[in-house]
Amino acid sequence: MKRPLGVLGIAAGILTAIGVCGTVFAQKTGGILRVHAGDSPPSMSMLEEADAVPARATMGLFNNLVMFDQSAKQNNMQSIVPDLATGWSWSEGGAELTLPLRKGVKWHDGRPFTVKDVKCTWDILTGKSSEKLRLNPRKSWYHNLAEVTTNGDHEVTFHLKRPQPAFVALLASGRSVVYPCHVSPAEMRQHPIGTGPFKFVEFKPNERITLARNPDYWKPGRPYLDGIEFTIIRDVSTAHLAFVAGKLDWIGTSIPLLKDIKREAPEAVCELTSGGISRNLIVNRDAPPFDNPDMRRAMALSLDRKAFIDIISEGQGDIGGVMQPLPEGVWGMPEHVMKTLPGYDPDVQKNRSEARAIMQKLGYGPENRLALKVSTRNVPPFRDPAVILIDQLKQMFIDGELEIVETALWYPKMYRKDFKIGLNLTGGGVDDPDQQLYENYACGSPRNYTSYCNPELESLFDQQSIETEMDKRKQLVWEIERKLAEDGARPIIFYNHFAYCWQPRVKNWTMMVNSIINNFRMEDVWLDQ
C-alpha cells in the first residue's frame, strides 16, 4: 500500500517574484536575458561539476523528476512540485519512492524521454553503469539508494536501503537533473543535451555561455525568453560597470559595490539575501601537524567570526554552524544553543587565550612560529576571507602565505587532499541535513575534503535521516553539530549575504533565501520590453 504525497501546498508568506510586487503583469515573449557569471567553469557537465556557475548556466537545459517551486523564496519539503514526474508516493514502509512519468517529452535532439533515462542517470551517479563520471561530487547523496527499477514504460521506483523521508528533497535540487541515456558523459561536458526549456548553443571559456529557447518544450507557452547569455566576468568591479552601462540584466555583486550600483543605476531593482553558502576553514587532518586534534582545536578557537562579517560584508552576514542559520535556513541552531559550541563564545579574546595556550603546549610561540600555505580559489568570494584568515592566524603563532588556485584546478586539488589548510566556500544543493552531513562529513565522501571520519557519529547521521518528526530530527541534528564543532571537523566561519541587482525589465525571477542555484530553471522569467 502506498501513501500519496501529491503536490504539497506552498505557504503564501514565502511566495514572491521579481517584478510582481502585488501587480499582475501580462507576460511577454522574446528577448535575450544577459546574466553575469563570476567565473569560467571547467565544463558544462551538471553531474560532474561542484561549482555554482555551471549549475546556474545549465539548469535551464534540463528537467528534474521533481523540483523546488521557482516562485517560493525558501526551499523546503512543502515547496517541492512535480516536473518530469507527475507526482510521487511512498510505500507503507517508507523505503520505496514511486514516480509516474510524463508522456510525450523529447530530448533536444528529438529522441523520446523514457524510463530508461531515469534509471541510467542514477546508475551513473551510484557507480553501477558502464559509463563513468570523471568526477562525482554528489555520489554521497545516494548512499542509501539500493536500486532504481522501471515499472512499465512510464513509472520508476527508487528502492532505498532504509526509510529516508528527505530523499525527495535531494531529487528536487537543481543539481539532480535527468541525463539522456544515449549521450555519453564525455559529450555532456562539451555539448549537454536535456529536455529543458533552453537548448545549449555554445561555451566560449572566459567569455560566455549561450542558451537558446527550446521551441519543442513540453510545457505549453514556456519559456518566454528567446535565450540566455551568461557573460563571464571575473572582476566584480568590471561586472559592475557592465551592469550600470546596461550590458547586463542581472548581476551578483558585493555589498560594498551595491551602494555604487544604487547610486549610478537608481532604476535597478536590488535585493540583499542569504543563500546558504558558508565560508569555512578546511584542514588536512592527515598532514602533520594538523593530525593533532589539539592543533585543530586551537585553529578553531582563533576565529573572530564577527570580524569576517564586518570586513567582508559590512556587517551583513550570519554566524552559524553546519546548517544555515535561522530564519532563512530550515535547520539552523537557535543562537543561545550555538553560543555554547566550542569557539562560538562571543568573547574572542578568551577563545584566543585558550588557543595560544594550546599552541605553546605544542611547542609554538613568538620565537617558534608555524609557516604554511593557505590555499584558496582565485575568485574574490574565496580570496578576500582567506586574507582575513591569514591575519587572524598570526595571533596563534601561524604565518600563512596565500596560495591562490584557478577554478579548473581547485576542486581536483581538494579531492586529492593536496593542501595543508585552506579557505573554502560550501553550499548545499539542498537545505537538508541529509545533504550537508553525508556530503561533507561522512567517511569516504568525495566532498569530505578534510577526511573527517567518525563512524559512531555517522550512526547518528542515519538516525536523524530516518526520523519523521521535524522537532525530534532537529534535536538530533543539533547534537551532531555539537560533536562536529568539538572535533573541529570543518570550522564554519560565517554565512554571507548576497547582493543581487537586475534591470527593471526583468520579471518573475525569484531570489531564494537558502539556495543560489535552485532558481535558475528560468522558464517563467520574461522581459518587459
Side-chain angles (χ1 to χ4, degrees):
M1 182 172 179
K2 296 178 180 177
R3 305 192 308 272
L5 293 185
V7 182
L8 302 178
I10 303 170
I14 60 173
L15 290 175
T16 60
I18 291 175
V20 176
C21 302
T23 303
V24 177
F25 291 92
Q27 295 92 342
K28 297 179 181 179
T29 59
I32 304 296
L33 181 70
R34 301 159 303 174
V35 177
H36 171 225
D39 205 354
S40 188
S43 80
M44 292 287 95
S45 176
M46 174 71 90
L47 296 188
E48 292 180 316
E49 298 300 339
D51 189 45
V53 172
R56 286 172 164 176
T58 62
M59 184 176 170
L61 301 176
F62 298 101
N63 288 106
N64 291 34
L65 293 172
V66 296
M67 65 185 293
F68 289 110
D69 189 296
Q70 297 295 283
S71 65
K73 291 289 285 183
Q74 186 188 62
N75 293 173
N76 53 44
M77 293 294 287
Q78 289 71 44
S79 66
I80 299 173
V81 297
D83 200 18
L84 286 175
T86 58
W88 64 94
S89 61
W90 285 101
S91 64
E92 192 63 36
E96 293 181 357
L97 178 66
T98 298
L99 304 100
L101 304 181
R102 297 188 189 277
K103 301 175 183 178
V105 177
K106 292 184 178 180
W107 295 100
H108 294 158
D109 59 5
R111 297 277 289 269
F113 161 74
T114 72
V115 291
K116 292 181 180 179
D117 296 306
V118 178
K119 180 172 173 54
C120 277
T121 298
W122 273 269
D123 281 352
I124 289 175
L125 286 167
T126 54
K128 296 177 181 178
S129 172
S130 58
E131 295 279 10
K132 302 297 179 184
L133 298 175
R134 181 171 53 186
L135 298 171
N136 191 358
R138 284 163 290 282
K139 183 178 181 180
S140 62
W141 290 20
Y142 305 109
H143 70 282
N144 188 40
L145 177 60
E147 65 173 335
V148 178
T149 59
T150 60
N151 317 316
D153 295 330
H154 303 290
E155 187 176 87
V156 294
T157 297
F158 286 76
H159 301 266
L160 308 183
K161 300 171 187 175
R162 56 160 174 78
Q164 185 183 3
F167 186 83
V168 69
L170 301 179
L171 298 182
S173 166
R175 298 184 183 276
S176 299
V177 300
V178 181
Y179 262 29
C181 207
H182 61 281
V183 181
S184 71
E187 293 175 89
M188 294 294 282
R189 292 175 201 134
Q190 302 301 321
H191 194 105
I193 291 174
T195 58
F198 297 95
K199 291 185 174 184
F200 177 79
V201 176
E202 67 173 350
F203 168 38
K204 290 193 172 183
N206 299 307
E207 292 186 27
R208 64 180 177 271
I209 301 163
T210 307
L211 315 181
R213 183 179 187 272
N214 176 11
D216 302 313
Y217 189 43
W218 55 271
K219 290 187 181 181
R222 299 293 194 279
Y224 297 113
L225 300 170
D226 286 333
I228 307 174
E229 183 172 292
F230 292 85
T231 303
I232 299 167
I233 306 175
R234 289 188 176 185
D235 183 74
V236 178
S237 297
T238 303
H240 158 99
L241 295 174
F243 179 83
V244 170
K247 296 179 180 179
L248 292 172
D249 291 311
W250 180 94
I251 184 175
T253 187
S254 68
I255 291 176
L257 282 177
L258 177 61
K259 297 176 183 177
D260 295 336
I261 289 179
K262 287 182 175 180
R263 184 182 65 251
E264 298 172 28
E267 74 285 356
V269 183
C270 296
E271 183 174 312
L272 194 62
T273 183
S274 57
I277 307 296
S278 74
R279 266 72 168 171
N280 50 83
L281 171 63
I282 52 175
V283 180
N284 188 338
R285 304 165 70 88
D286 297 327
F290 306 106
D291 54 347
N292 187 321
D294 289 337
M295 170 67 77
R296 298 195 298 270
R297 178 176 174 81
M299 295 181 68
L301 287 168
S302 73
L303 300 172
D304 182 349
R305 292 172 168 85
K306 186 176 184 300
F308 277 91
I309 295 172
D310 290 344
I311 296 169
I312 296 293
S313 53
E314 298 183 349
Q316 300 292 326
D318 301 301
I319 296 174
V322 172
M323 302 307 300
Q324 182 181 353
L326 302 169
E328 294 86 359
V330 177
W331 300 93
M333 302 178 80
E335 186 176 356
H336 71 276
V337 177
M338 183 177 60
K339 285 181 178 179
T340 65
L341 300 181
Y344 283 81
D345 188 321
D347 189 342
V348 175
Q349 293 311 314
K350 174 186 172 184
N351 295 338
R352 288 181 170 173
S353 294
E354 183 181 348
R356 281 189 285 268
I358 294 172
M359 291 293 287
Q360 289 173 324
K361 184 179 178 181
L362 294 174
Y364 299 97
E367 305 303 322
N368 183 30
R369 303 178 65 87
L370 175 62
L372 51 77
K373 290 184 178 180
V374 178
S375 305
T376 199
R377 186 175 153 198
N378 190 21
V379 288
F382 284 69
R383 284 199 315 264
D384 294 347
V387 172
I388 299 172
L389 175 64
I390 288 172
D391 183 65
Q392 292 193 6
L393 290 177
K394 288 178 181 178
Q395 300 190 45
M396 303 299 106
F397 316 122
I398 297 175
D399 294 329
E401 176 188 351
L402 185 64
E403 179 190 33
I404 56 175
V405 182
E406 294 303 320
T407 295
L409 304 176
W410 173 249
Y411 292 107
K413 183 181 180 73
M414 294 300 99
Y415 292 136
R416 296 193 309 269
K417 310 293 188 291
D418 181 20
F419 67 96
K420 289 289 185 73
I421 70 170
L423 189 289
N424 188 48
L425 271 67
T426 298
V430 188
D431 182 14
D432 189 89
D434 280 6
Q435 181 266 318
Q436 283 285 358
L437 298 178
Y438 290 107
E439 180 174 327
N440 298 309
Y441 302 96
C443 304
S445 168
R447 294 263 281 165
N448 182 355
Y449 300 144
T450 67
S451 298
Y452 177 79
C453 183
N454 186 333
E456 183 179 345
L457 186 62
E458 208 162 320
S459 66
L460 258 187
F461 293 4
D462 295 341
Q463 189 177 337
Q464 67 79 29
S465 179
I466 295 170
E467 182 56 59
T468 57
E469 293 187 27
M470 188 167 184
D471 287 343
K472 290 183 179 179
R473 190 180 178 207
K474 282 184 176 181
Q475 293 299 324
L476 290 168
V477 171
W478 298 342
E479 183 180 344
I480 292 167
E481 287 251 30
R482 178 172 298 280
K483 181 59 178 174
L484 291 173
E486 290 172 350
D487 289 351
R490 188 190 293 201
I492 306 299
I493 302 174
F494 76 105
Y495 287 78
N496 75 307
H497 287 188
F498 294 87
Y500 299 119
C501 292
W502 55 92
Q503 305 292 355
R505 71 177 190 146
V506 179
K507 306 297 180 184
N508 211 36
W509 189 6
T510 300
M511 298 296 111
M512 294 174 173
V513 299
N514 55 348
S515 175
I516 63 168
I517 62 167
N518 289 343
N519 60 329
F520 273 73
R521 173 62 63 80
M522 313 297 274
E523 62 190 32
D524 299 317
V525 178
W526 56 281
L527 300 176
D528 189 10
Q529 58 181 8

